[in-house]
Amino acid sequence: MPPAATPPHGPAAPTAGARPGVPAPAPARRDHGQAGRPGSAGAGAARDPAPPDAAGEAPAGPGGDGGTLLDRVGRWAPAATPFGIFRLAPLTPADDLTLLTTWMNDPAVAAFWELAGPAGTTARHVHAQLSGDGRSVPCLGLLDGRPMSYWELYRADLDPLARHYPARPHDTGVHLLLGGAADRGRGLGTALLRAVTCLILTHRPRCARVVAEPDVRNVPSVAAFRRAGFHLDAEIDLPDKRAALMVRRRTAPTEPAPARR
């Protein structure tokens, strides 16, 4: 996620209205993740040309929801969680960049995502995905309509990460960060990881595994993934960290809890 595992921190999230779908993601990006406490940072090199198994899969089209490479994330239904109704909304830089930059400049987040700095720093990171072919989709996580987390869903099998583990077609990776201090340390990260994993397995029928790679030193993050149903598959050496490869396999038909209206 990339990093993978705990929701990051950042100043309490300013509220930016919920918005429907948006742009199409792309290549290069770091690996990050979190799930309640600081997340890990990961290696992120520019993506290689899509391997043969991606041939025939159309890139993201107008609307920027990830296209068929990620089964149009922007159209996924919301999911019920113990904390409220959660949904993923593909990032819209014009609306969301200020909020995301604020989160990235929180010291606890910056230590792992390494994106502290002016808005241009965050913009370049996001643009690398939005200008690509749809194999990585940056999203805001909305809880009862409130922007409170940042997610990157990506095709792990088409990512540089695939060089470091036995990837399978359609493996889907997750990075996340929780933006506000009030949303950390109370089990919210674990609940959202469960919800997003369920959404991935429900809306991506060809995906048999969801993966994440938090820094092995990020004990809270690894623990959150475990609580969300992931298991530690291996420890792997990435360019900028030793990562815990966390894997959640599809074991039965998965359907997200229906969202309460």
Side-chain angles (χ1 to χ4, degrees):
M1 10 234 257
T6 340
H9 330 314
T15 303
R19 331 133 347 289
V22 151
R29 57 141 227 337
R30 294 182 184 283
D31 305 334
H32 321 284
Q34 296 164 240
R37 298 299 303 250
S40 59
R47 305 177 192 276
D48 299 324
D53 83 286
E57 292 189 69
D65 58 7
T68 57
L69 286 181
L70 278 165
D71 296 290
R72 303 197 178 283
V73 176
R75 302 182 186 181
W76 293 1
T81 78
F83 297 89
I85 302 302
F86 179 82
R87 75 181 181 90
L88 292 168
L91 195 79
T92 304
D95 298 328
D96 308 324
L97 186 60
T98 298
L99 174 60
L100 185 56
T101 299
T102 298
W103 290 347
M104 290 300 184
N105 275 280
D106 179 277
V109 175
F112 294 100
W113 284 72
E114 302 176 353
L115 290 172
T121 300
T122 300
R124 283 189 292 274
H125 174 79
V126 170
H127 179 73
Q129 298 174 75
L130 299 180
S131 63
D133 60 5
R135 67 182 71 179
S136 180
V137 180
C139 299
L140 282 190
L142 309 179
L143 190 61
D144 288 337
R146 175 176 65 92
M148 45 70 64
S149 56
Y150 172 68
W151 300 74
E152 292 174 352
L153 304 191
Y154 65 100
R155 282 285 296 270
D157 59 325
L158 307 182
D159 189 84
L161 175 65
R163 303 170 186 157
H164 302 278
Y165 84 105
R168 298 177 188 172
H170 296 283
D171 277 358
T172 303
V174 176
H175 299 156
L176 72 138
L177 72 78
L178 293 184
D183 290 323
R184 300 190 294 267
R186 58 192 183 98
L188 180 56
T190 295
L192 296 187
L193 279 172
R194 288 196 189 106
V196 170
T197 299
C198 186
L199 287 171
I200 291 170
L201 295 176
T202 297
H203 293 283
R204 302 211 65 236
R206 294 171 293 178
C207 172
R209 303 188 305 179
V210 180
V211 304
E213 13 67 59
D215 193 302
V216 294
R217 297 169 298 176
N218 191 340
V219 177
S221 176
V222 173
F225 275 97
R226 285 185 184 279
R227 290 192 296 270
F230 288 70
H231 74 272
L232 176 61
D233 193 73
E235 290 189 3
I236 56 178
D237 290 314
L238 298 179
D240 64 350
K241 68 180 179 183
R242 184 163 181 77
L245 179 65
M246 307 301 295
V247 178
R248 163 72 157 81
R249 291 182 172 81
R250 182 191 294 278
T251 56
T254 307
E255 293 185 7
R260 299 183 300 278
R261 296 294 180 182

